[in-house]
Amino acid sequence: MSPDKKLINAVDLSVTFKVPSGSLRAVDTVSFYVNAGETVAIVGESGSGKTTLALSLMRAYAPTSGNLFFEDEDITHLSEKALKDFRKKVQMVFQDPYSSLDPRMTVSQVIAEPLRAHFKLSANERDEKAGESLKAVGLSPDFLNRRASQFSGGQRQRIAIARALALDPKVLVADEPVSALDVSTQAQIVNLLQSIQEERNISYILVSHDLRLVYHLATRVVVMYLGKVVEEGACDDVVANPQHPYTAALLSAVPALDEASRRDRIVLNGAPPSPIARPTGCSFHPRCPIARPECSTNTPELQTMPNGRKVACFYPGELQPHISFTSSK
Amino acid sequence: MSQDSKDLVTPITRRKMFKSKNKSLATLRISASILAALFIIAIFQPFFYTVDPAASDLTLRLQSPSLDGALLGTDALGQDVYSRVIAGFRWSLGIGTVGTLLGCLIGITLGVSAAWNRKRLRIVLSRVIDIGISFPYLIIAVTIVTVVGRGFWPLALTLGLVCWPTIARIVYAETLTLREREYVTAARLFGIGSIRSIFTHILPALRPTIQVVAAFTFAELLIAESGLSFLGLGAPLGTPTWGNMLNESRLYMESAPWMMFGPVTAIIVTIFTANLLGEGLNAREHSRSTRVSQ
Amino acid sequence: MINTATNAIEIKNLVVSFPTPAGYSAVVRGINLTINPGDRVAIVGESGSGKTMMGLSMLGIQPTAAKVEGEILIGDVNMVTAADAVARKLRGNYISMVFQEPLTSLNPVRTISSQLSESVRRHNSISKKEAEARVLAVLTAVGIPAPKERMKSYPHQLSGGLRQRVMIALALINKPQLVVADEPTTALDATIQAQILDLLRSGMGDAALMLITHDLAVAADVCNRIVVMYAGNIVEQGPVAEILSNPKHPYTRGLLSAIPKFDQARPALNPIPGAPPTISEVVPGCRFASRCSYADAQCTASEPEFINNIACFHPVTGAVK
Ligand SMILES: Nc1ncnc2c1ncn2[C@@H]1O[C@H](COP(=O)(O)OP(=O)(O)OP(=O)(O)O)[C@@H](O)[C@H]1O
Ligand SMILES: Nc1ncnc2c1ncn2[C@@H]1O[C@H](COP(=O)(O)OP(=O)(O)OP(=O)(O)O)[C@@H](O)[C@H]1O
Ligand code: SF4
Ligand SMILES: [Mg+2]
Ligand SMILES: [Mg+2]
């Protein structure tokens, strides 16, 4: 496979939910792709549609409009039956390691569940495969017969990752995989995800609100605001030189150990608007520190800049955060 | 801070810790054993007869209870009340069991299907359940008796058709929340089909609830069975069932009150036991779920 | 009713334990801590170190199975022994809590506004209308968009971020003197976290804050004092600048180096190896010894005392990397 082959490719994807007060466009004409072996991070406000996007990339929802391709095949309207191969190659790790594992199942049942859906294996073969998966995430195969409910959050997340790896997927969608864990356990899981990627050349789609982690793991970043992509680019680039003021604010809001970052913080005024009552013009304008009058009337389109960066703002690059980079090189 | 870790481990009796859990376990054990005993009586009833329950001897009619004669007296046809009460176990427990199983089958199927489906089927099925709940059950009973006649299976069918809506509604409500669990979504995204997901994730999670509901339903059906037989809509006349016996005893309430005593005791003991079982199961489930949530 | 002149709360030798088959095991193992009015203290430590149990005991709302010993003094009331009525009066009015899981601590079948105004009216005799005005004001203050409409929502209709704001509103609505915030921003994204940390840092009037978190960066952001807990003990405490620039306890250093940084070289992260002891595990020496790279025979033989703001036989000096 050529290195730049698009595995998952979404074109102008929209997802609309029916809510009592009308309809809510949680994902609004988003284009998104992930190449083999790369890690694309989706960052953005709470409620900006990250989870909805991640789930619709997995065809958990049928998109309202737009198209979804997997390995160049259009899977937008495929039935569950026809999706079988896709379901095998694209796996997910959820945020909450407590509710994502059935508490009544043993670890071996948990890990074997996806195997059962796709292969006819004897109980022994399944156990063996489950044991291998468990080893791959740094847990002892002795755990196989214990119930998932007996484990700590970090161990459960390892089990969830083992389950996702059991089918040897090409893409792993991880929705906030470490945000329920404490800092030290986070570091363990992040290192684990990284070493798995090095071994297996899996692509990751990483939903996270922790930009420190995103910087650490991702090759490319997609920034969402109110269901739309407002900025996209190579991770290094976006962090070092954010173009959209929201990205700048997001970066500057990272809790920092150093005084200077904290002092020069860009604090956003106001609150995120609801996707039901979307502001006119640029959706970000009510909170934007550099908004001009035209921002409330004209809508900035997502434009591709010469270096391949994409940004939806009339004044790209104007607002810059203070970030303290370190280098251990 | 300087405390030795040994100081921090103060002894506590096992008994205190498990007291409340033990109590519910004891309830459960006792009620389950009694119910098992009742079922044994029902299955091996010939061993418990003193005389043939069908044998009637008009010379011995309306005898009062005595230790060397009829243990619980005799009825208007001179049949032995004790042996007839024993014979009634098979009928009553059988009807209760079959009715409950049928009700669970219908209730679980409809409840789970309604909750699992997100589209039109859900609306249709929820309406069906609502209608089922408000449907007057005597109408079902009268209809079935008119069409099929009286007997064990018509009555079991009637009771099954009467009790499923409550079960369906409880199952429906619980499935709705279970369906939203992340592990259920996860299963779907692994490519696991609805049926398999229901069997691996939903039904096992419903089991404790269903056990509790089934125990209470069983108790209710016993009452309903007696009631229907009493009204002449249940067992064929002359069949030794508690409801029929009650019905027959009505005329002799003053002259032979013992005719009532046997069946009433049997009904109360069985219903009480089934209710106790339901409560025990409920308490056990409750103590489990609080432990899990910690 | 109570004398609040000297400190907001004083904790003396607090022990919280749970029954296990082997007897009671302590999850908070003899803690001493004083919080002054207006103080902002961070309690930092890994999952399971007893932070939440300490917080819950301070309000007298620990799980029923828990046994609490020692003193928790609010003025001259000892929350450990106080009568229910007294403790209830202090909760909300004097000390309140923002919980870790907003969804499970809000009533799912009642609207936001009815839950908030009930809390106002429980402590103040004011009309329903006045209570609702106050609810609206506090919801606006914690940055809930379209608060008027949101008031009528049920908790499950709100996103995680909004639910956490509702929880903070609930904690602040009776203008308490001390707010215990248990991981209030764990589920939130960066700009909202920054706003809420802002709110906690400077939007709480005179109320003192005890912020429970596992992220030293969050602690540094909001607080002026950091208390590091490990497996039920306080192992180090000090002013923020001191802890960050010169952490002495190997555990504190481990926590600091586990935080991902904007490091262009992207080296592998540095987790602390292993896991903390389980609550019923009896550890003869320092409870951190098995994971500590400085541990020696002394560390595994006896438990270090908490002296000069640190509990370690081999305090380290200098900044972390
Ligand atoms: N099943 C649903 N029905 C109706 N609205 C929904 C549904 N799922 C999500 N939404 C709405 O869609 C929007 C996007 O939600 P989503 O969960 O994707 O956000 P998110 O970016 O993942 O947020 P968070 O960081 O809080 O997880 C929100 O306004 C949410 O309320
Ligand atoms: N009801 C309970 N019964 C027995 N043990 C309990 C109970 N509640 C908590 N514990 C134990 O008490 C210890 C301390 O728990 P606590 O919730 O205070 O930790 P924490 O520091 O807040 O962790 P986290 O960061 O995960 O919230 C844990 O080991 C936990 O397993
Ligand atoms: S378009 Fe205007 S309002 Fe929108 S982000 Fe750019 S400057 Fe701000
Ligand atoms: Mg989400
Ligand atoms: Mg906690």
Side-chain angles (χ1 to χ4, degrees), chain C residues 266-313:
Chain C
R266 293 190 176 83
L269 298 181
N270 274 314
I272 305 170
T278 61
I279 65 162
S280 49
E281 212 169 315
V282 178
V283 180
C286 169
R287 291 175 82 76
F288 186 58
S290 64
R291 306 173 70 190
C292 179
S293 54
Y294 300 90
D296 61 9
Q298 184 185 18
C299 302
T300 46
S302 55
E303 193 168 357
E305 290 192 27
F306 188 72
I307 309 167
N308 291 333
N309 289 332
I310 180 163
C312 175
F313 293 122

XYZ file of all heavy atoms in Angstrom, chain C residues 266-313:
354
model
N 9.459 15.033 21.050
C 8.438 14.030 21.373
C 9.039 12.735 21.927
O 8.876 11.657 21.350
C 7.593 13.715 20.146
C 6.746 14.896 19.697
C 5.759 14.449 18.654
N 4.871 15.516 18.270
C 5.151 16.451 17.370
N 6.335 16.483 16.803
N 4.268 17.360 17.075
N 9.722 12.850 23.058
C 10.247 11.630 23.667
C 9.081 10.840 24.259
O 8.016 11.412 24.499
C 11.142 12.161 24.774
C 10.530 13.472 25.140
C 9.923 14.030 23.889
N 9.278 9.539 24.456
C 8.235 8.757 25.114
C 7.932 9.397 26.463
O 8.808 9.978 27.102
C 8.706 7.321 25.296
N 6.668 9.315 26.895
C 6.309 9.904 28.178
C 6.921 9.078 29.305
O 7.341 7.942 29.104
C 4.792 9.963 28.307
C 4.088 10.818 27.257
C 2.590 10.819 27.503
C 4.622 12.248 27.290
N 6.952 9.677 30.464
C 7.585 9.047 31.623
C 6.575 8.646 32.681
O 6.451 9.327 33.687
C 8.523 10.053 32.294
C 9.865 10.056 31.664
O 10.435 9.003 31.415
N 10.365 11.255 31.389
N 5.850 7.570 32.474
C 4.908 7.209 33.541
C 5.669 6.704 34.767
O 6.808 6.258 34.644
C 4.084 6.089 32.914
C 4.892 5.571 31.788
C 5.864 6.630 31.372
N 5.004 6.817 35.928
C 5.578 6.167 37.103
C 5.311 4.677 36.912
O 4.180 4.290 36.647
C 4.896 6.666 38.388
C 4.981 8.189 38.438
C 5.510 6.035 39.605
C 4.134 8.805 39.527
N 6.317 3.836 37.015
C 6.072 2.411 36.753
C 5.142 1.809 37.799
O 5.036 2.326 38.911
C 7.468 1.796 36.838
C 8.254 2.739 37.685
C 7.710 4.109 37.400
N 4.470 0.715 37.432
C 3.656 -0.020 38.397
C 2.392 0.694 38.799
O 1.953 1.638 38.159
N 1.806 0.210 39.895
C 0.548 0.775 40.376
C 0.619 0.906 41.885
O 1.411 0.223 42.533
C -0.602 -0.146 39.974
N -0.208 1.790 42.463
C -0.185 1.941 43.919
C -0.695 0.677 44.610
O -1.386 -0.117 43.979
C -1.134 3.125 44.180
C -1.713 3.516 42.889
C -1.147 2.681 41.804
N -0.346 0.492 45.888
C -0.833 -0.692 46.608
C -2.359 -0.643 46.737
O -2.940 0.432 46.777
C -0.164 -0.577 47.982
C 0.195 0.864 48.129
C 0.463 1.361 46.743
N -2.996 -1.797 46.750
C -4.445 -1.819 46.981
C -4.722 -1.492 48.436
O -3.821 -1.565 49.274
C -5.031 -3.202 46.660
O -4.408 -4.151 47.527
C -4.778 -3.580 45.223
N -6.000 -1.153 48.724
C -6.255 -0.615 50.056
C -6.001 -1.631 51.160
O -5.617 -1.274 52.263
C -7.685 -0.031 50.204
C -8.759 -1.104 50.066
C -7.929 1.087 49.249
C -10.085 -0.613 50.644
N -6.191 -2.907 50.867
C -6.040 -3.857 51.972
C -4.606 -4.393 52.066
O -4.286 -5.165 52.950
C -7.032 -5.013 51.802
O -6.949 -5.513 50.493
N -3.765 -3.959 51.140
C -2.384 -4.430 51.144
C -1.625 -3.804 52.316
O -1.604 -2.587 52.461
C -1.732 -4.000 49.821
C -0.686 -4.952 49.299
C -0.294 -4.588 47.870
O -1.214 -4.308 47.052
O 0.905 -4.546 47.579
N -1.025 -4.633 53.141
C -0.238 -4.105 54.256
C 1.202 -3.919 53.774
O 1.857 -4.863 53.350
C -0.283 -5.047 55.472
C 0.572 -4.508 56.607
C -1.726 -5.219 55.929
N 1.645 -2.661 53.778
C 3.002 -2.364 53.323
C 3.804 -1.943 54.540
O 3.447 -0.986 55.202
C 2.986 -1.224 52.279
C 4.386 -0.911 51.808
C 2.086 -1.587 51.114
N 4.881 -2.669 54.861
C 5.615 -2.337 56.083
C 6.316 -0.975 56.002
O 6.264 -0.191 56.937
C 6.626 -3.474 56.225
C 6.694 -4.126 54.889
C 5.411 -3.853 54.186
N 6.931 -0.655 54.867
C 7.698 0.586 54.793
C 6.939 1.701 54.112
O 5.739 1.848 54.278
N 7.657 2.489 53.338
C 7.048 3.572 52.582
C 6.153 2.972 51.507
O 6.563 2.048 50.794
C 8.152 4.410 51.934
S 7.537 5.584 50.723
N 4.925 3.484 51.398
C 3.981 2.874 50.469
C 4.362 3.108 49.010
O 3.822 2.481 48.118
C 2.564 3.373 50.758
C 2.051 2.831 52.086
C 0.712 3.405 52.454
N -0.424 2.767 51.826
C -0.930 1.585 52.166
N -0.357 0.886 53.128
N -1.981 1.095 51.554
N 5.309 4.019 48.781
C 5.733 4.298 47.414
C 6.959 3.466 47.031
O 7.339 3.403 45.859
C 6.023 5.801 47.260
C 6.323 6.226 45.842
C 5.405 6.004 44.829
C 7.518 6.845 45.518
C 5.671 6.391 43.521
C 7.795 7.239 44.212
C 6.861 7.004 43.216
N 7.554 2.816 48.014
C 8.869 2.189 47.796
C 8.944 1.296 46.559
O 9.904 1.348 45.799
C 9.272 1.407 49.040
N 7.887 0.485 46.338
C 7.969 -0.487 45.243
C 8.035 0.190 43.871
O 8.399 -0.430 42.883
C 6.764 -1.428 45.297
O 5.587 -0.685 45.081
N 7.664 1.472 43.794
C 7.683 2.151 42.495
C 8.770 3.225 42.441
O 8.886 3.952 41.454
C 6.322 2.833 42.250
C 5.143 1.902 42.386
C 3.838 2.652 42.311
N 3.555 3.163 40.967
C 2.579 4.010 40.690
N 1.810 4.469 41.661
N 2.383 4.421 39.458
N 9.558 3.321 43.497
C 10.466 4.457 43.635
C 11.882 4.064 43.232
O 12.390 3.017 43.643
C 10.458 4.910 45.094
S 11.569 6.285 45.415
N 12.508 4.897 42.428
C 13.862 4.546 41.982
C 14.914 4.892 43.034
O 16.076 4.537 42.898
C 14.172 5.260 40.658
O 13.957 6.636 40.787
N 14.513 5.607 44.087
C 15.474 5.960 45.135
C 15.388 5.023 46.336
O 16.118 5.174 47.302
C 15.232 7.398 45.630
C 15.370 8.436 44.548
C 14.267 8.811 43.780
C 16.591 9.056 44.287
C 14.383 9.768 42.790
C 16.703 10.005 43.292
C 15.600 10.359 42.544
O 15.726 11.298 41.567
N 14.458 4.064 46.279
C 14.187 3.265 47.475
C 15.374 2.389 47.858
O 16.082 1.865 47.000
C 12.958 2.397 47.246
N 15.615 2.261 49.174
C 16.638 1.328 49.664
C 16.063 0.517 50.823
O 14.851 0.545 51.049
C 17.892 2.093 50.065
C 17.619 3.082 51.189
O 16.491 3.040 51.753
O 18.506 3.887 51.504
N 16.905 -0.179 51.519
C 16.447 -1.071 52.592
C 15.632 -0.324 53.649
O 14.612 -0.817 54.125
C 17.650 -1.753 53.244
N 16.068 0.879 53.998
C 15.375 1.660 55.013
C 13.925 1.922 54.581
O 12.989 1.852 55.382
C 16.116 2.993 55.199
C 15.534 3.840 56.301
C 16.224 5.204 56.374
O 16.886 5.647 55.434
N 16.062 5.881 57.510
N 13.740 2.223 53.282
C 12.418 2.570 52.764
C 11.450 1.403 52.857
O 10.251 1.585 53.064
C 12.517 3.013 51.313
S 13.610 4.415 51.081
N 11.961 0.171 52.668
C 11.053 -0.963 52.710
C 10.869 -1.476 54.136
O 9.993 -2.286 54.396
C 11.569 -2.116 51.824
O 12.954 -2.308 52.096
C 11.390 -1.794 50.349
N 11.693 -0.975 55.065
C 11.610 -1.459 56.445
C 10.678 -0.607 57.296
O 9.881 -1.127 58.072
C 13.000 -1.504 57.066
N 10.764 0.710 57.163
C 9.914 1.526 58.021
C 9.304 2.668 57.232
O 9.809 3.072 56.172
C 10.739 2.076 59.198
O 11.852 2.776 58.685
N 8.190 3.189 57.787
C 7.449 4.210 57.063
C 8.004 5.586 57.417
O 8.119 5.929 58.595
C 5.968 4.113 57.413
C 5.105 4.918 56.473
C 3.613 4.604 56.618
O 3.255 3.722 57.419
O 2.831 5.266 55.920
N 8.346 6.420 56.432
C 8.888 7.746 56.734
C 7.814 8.651 57.346
O 6.655 8.587 56.953
C 9.330 8.273 55.364
C 8.513 7.514 54.379
C 8.260 6.174 54.981
N 8.215 9.465 58.323
C 7.251 10.386 58.933
C 7.162 11.661 58.113
O 8.060 11.994 57.343
C 7.695 10.725 60.362
C 7.553 9.542 61.286
C 7.701 9.965 62.742
O 7.399 11.145 63.055
O 8.119 9.120 63.548
N 6.044 12.372 58.320
C 5.844 13.617 57.601
C 6.479 14.745 58.422
O 5.905 15.211 59.403
C 4.345 13.857 57.402
C 4.037 15.010 56.507
C 4.261 14.947 55.140
C 3.501 16.182 57.029
C 3.960 16.002 54.308
C 3.201 17.255 56.197
C 3.436 17.166 54.847
N 7.706 15.122 58.037
C 8.413 16.180 58.758
C 8.824 17.247 57.753
O 9.235 16.915 56.636
C 9.689 15.638 59.449
C 9.346 14.404 60.290
C 10.332 16.709 60.324
C 10.567 13.633 60.746
N 8.751 18.482 58.132
C 9.118 19.582 57.240
C 8.450 19.474 55.879
O 9.082 19.608 54.836
C 10.647 19.639 57.035
C 11.345 20.070 58.303
O 10.750 20.783 59.119
N 12.576 19.625 58.478
N 7.166 19.186 55.910
C 6.360 19.152 54.692
C 6.717 18.046 53.714
O 6.372 18.114 52.545
C 6.430 20.498 53.951
C 5.666 21.565 54.699
O 4.716 21.246 55.420
N 6.082 22.805 54.543
N 7.413 17.023 54.178
C 7.697 15.910 53.270
C 7.799 14.607 54.042
O 8.244 14.589 55.188
C 8.985 16.166 52.440
C 9.245 14.977 51.509
C 10.181 16.419 53.345
C 10.200 15.283 50.408
N 7.360 13.516 53.411
C 7.458 12.202 54.038
C 8.316 11.322 53.153
O 7.806 10.577 52.324
C 6.069 11.594 54.230
N 9.636 11.459 53.307
C 10.545 10.654 52.477
C 11.903 10.587 53.163
O 12.352 11.567 53.749
C 10.681 11.282 51.086
S 11.877 10.447 50.023
N 12.538 9.411 53.084
C 13.871 9.278 53.663
C 14.938 9.913 52.786
O 16.008 10.258 53.258
C 14.219 7.793 53.876
C 13.379 7.135 54.924
C 12.609 6.023 54.618
C 13.363 7.621 56.231
C 11.833 5.413 55.590
C 12.591 7.012 57.211
C 11.816 5.908 56.885
